[in-house]
Every structure is written in C-alpha cells, then in structure tokens.
Amino acid sequence: MSADGNVEIRTQLEIRRVAGRIGAEVAGVRLSADLSSEALSAIEDALHAHKVLFFRDQHHLDDAAQEAFAARLGVPVAHPTVPVRGGSSYLLELDSERGGRANSWHTDVTFVQAYPKASILRAVELPSYGGDTVWANTAEAYKRLPDPLRALAGTLWALHTNAYDYAAVKPGASAAQIERHKTVFAATVYETEHPVVRVHPATGERTLVLGQFVKSLVGVSAADSRRLLDTLQEHVTRLENTVRWSWRVGDVAIWDNRATQHYAIDDYGRQHRVMRRVTLGGDIPVSVDGRHSRVVKPEPVTEIEG
C-alpha cells in the first residue's frame, strides 16, 4: 500500500480511493473475459479491500461481454423471480420505466439462503441529471458499533423476505408498480433467517446483514425489532461510511454483496435510466457462533422413500 493509502497492484492497475471507508476507482484495465488470471485476482483483492470498485468508460461491453466477464469472477446466477433480459442467460435489466428504481437501502437478494457474493452493474442509459448510486460498508459499520451493541448484534437473527409492503416502502409508487411487485418480484415468496452478523468467507471480517428485505428479528417483538433494526441500520448508512458514484454511460461498478448495502437515488423525475446487472452465486452465511442461515419459505422438499 502506498503512503497515501491507495492500493498498488502488481498488474499495472491504477486504483484510487474515492471515499475514506469504501470505494475505489480502477483505471488501466479493459474489462473482458480475456483478462489474465493475475489481473482477475488483483481485481478480487481490491474488491475485498474497498468493497466497491468503479471502472469508467467500458463502452466496449455489451450484454454478452458483460456476462462473459462476470463468469471469470464467479458463477453467474439469475434473479430468483424477475425474468432476465431477452437473449441473455443471467443479465437483469433495471429500467426506470419498468419498476427499476431501487431507491431503498438493501443488499441484493438476501431473502434467499445463499444470496449473491457480488454484483456487476453497467450503465446503459442515463438521465441528464441525478441517478447516482450510493454504497455503504457493512463491515466497517459492524467494526464501529459500540461494544455492547456489537455484542448484542452478534446474537441476533433476522427474517428476510421479498414479500414486503411495497406501497409502504415506496409511498409514491403507482398502481402498476405495486401490481408488478406482487405478480413478478414476489410471485414466489421467499423467507430466510440470516444472522444479523455474518463472517465473510474470504476476509474473515464480520459484516451486518440488514436492509430492505428484513421483516423482523427472530424471537423479538415487532416493536422491539423495529427499534433495534433502525438503530443498527443507522450505523450502516452514516455518511462517513458511504461512497456516492455519479455515473457516465459505459461505467461499470462491481461490489462485494456480502459486505455492502446500496441505494439508487431516485432524483431524476421521468427521465429514462437503464442499468444492466449480473450477479454471482454466493455462499450460505455463517454466524459468529458457526450456525448457517436457514430457509423458511419455500419449505424444503423432502424425499419420501418407498
């Protein structure tokens, strides 16, 4: 690491920190499936260190090339309920005119047991103003909790689901958006119990697993759940713990979904914004005391002998 805190990568990548606790811009690399194993390893190391990486002006990437590059970083997986973009295998299109305004703090797809380890997002069409995305570092948030609150968080489990009250979360949503949430996003109801604090399998860091998809804390009343969740979530999204990215068409962001939350700012009115995302398959979270996340819905299928 250099004197100014920036990471020096042996593969000639130029990595510049964007904010104090999270985020780095990477220059000197053309993302593709043809990258060397050494370059991919360097990108992965930087991702673990900075949690989210930004790559400007990757205009050469189309849908197929984005998927191919993602496959070099891990195993691409489709969203469990939302259909992929036509002609793609795993690519999800986030179109502002079709419900693609993710303006709430969340970690991707935590309502399933082995939620994605990382996401690769590409800017395709942008408004003339607004439309930034903000990420928060959930490892840093955990580390900076007061000692008593950190000890309590390590004992808590939370129920995550995709069947949340969309109208309550997004009071300005149209009837069509609410209906799409019910018939597409929540067509199959998923519920999973995750530890509020998980151990990152690559770094060993402890990270907070919270965000929009949390319904309640397990074994805690609804009122106490809300107070505790709000308190912990406020620690995640402290401004000092975040980084904000102003997109240009062709930009790519890659984030560690096991150590971040993010929020797409909906401040661009009726202008059009299109992003395309590939997610990489993850692992089943493990709590600080060694227990694994567990599925509640759909109920696991058991084979009947005979």
Side-chain angles (χ1 to χ4, degrees), residues 9 16 19 23 80 118 125 143 158 173 253 275 281 291:
I9 300 297
R16 179 187 62 83
E125 183 173 344
K143 185 171 69 176
M275 315 291 283
R291 291 181 291 159

Side-chain angles (χ1 to χ4, degrees), residues 90-224:
Y90 306 102
L91 192 141
L92 178 68
E93 182 166 84
L94 303 170
D95 186 330
S96 62
E97 295 180 353
R98 296 178 174 83
R101 295 180 185 243
N103 57 325
S104 56
W105 282 106
H106 66 285
T107 296
D108 286 335
V109 203
T110 57
F111 46 84
V112 302
Q113 187 181 32
Y115 61 86
K117 73 172 188 177
S119 293
I120 300 101
L121 185 67
R122 174 170 58 100
V124 177
E125 183 173 344
L126 295 173
S128 60
Y129 58 82
D132 295 354
T133 304
V134 185
W135 285 262
N137 185 337
T138 61
E140 195 71 21
Y142 170 81
K143 185 171 69 176
R144 292 175 181 271
L145 289 174
D147 290 344
L149 189 53
R150 190 187 312 118
L152 174 61
T155 70
L156 299 173
W157 285 67
L159 179 68
H160 295 238
T161 182
N162 60 329
Y164 59 90
D165 188 343
Y166 185 85
V169 172
K170 300 189 177 185
S174 66
Q177 290 172 326
I178 295 171
E179 183 62 22
R180 184 179 187 275
H181 173 79
K182 292 178 181 178
T183 59
V184 179
F185 190 83
T188 299
V189 173
Y190 291 87
E191 292 185 353
T192 300
E193 292 178 354
H194 290 301
V196 169
V197 181
R198 70 170 292 178
V199 179
H200 195 291
T203 68
E205 293 175 300
R206 295 181 178 188
T207 70
L208 293 171
V209 187
L210 298 167
Q212 171 185 337
F213 301 122
V214 176
K215 182 177 182 180
S216 61
L217 293 172
V218 177
V220 179
S221 72
D224 287 338

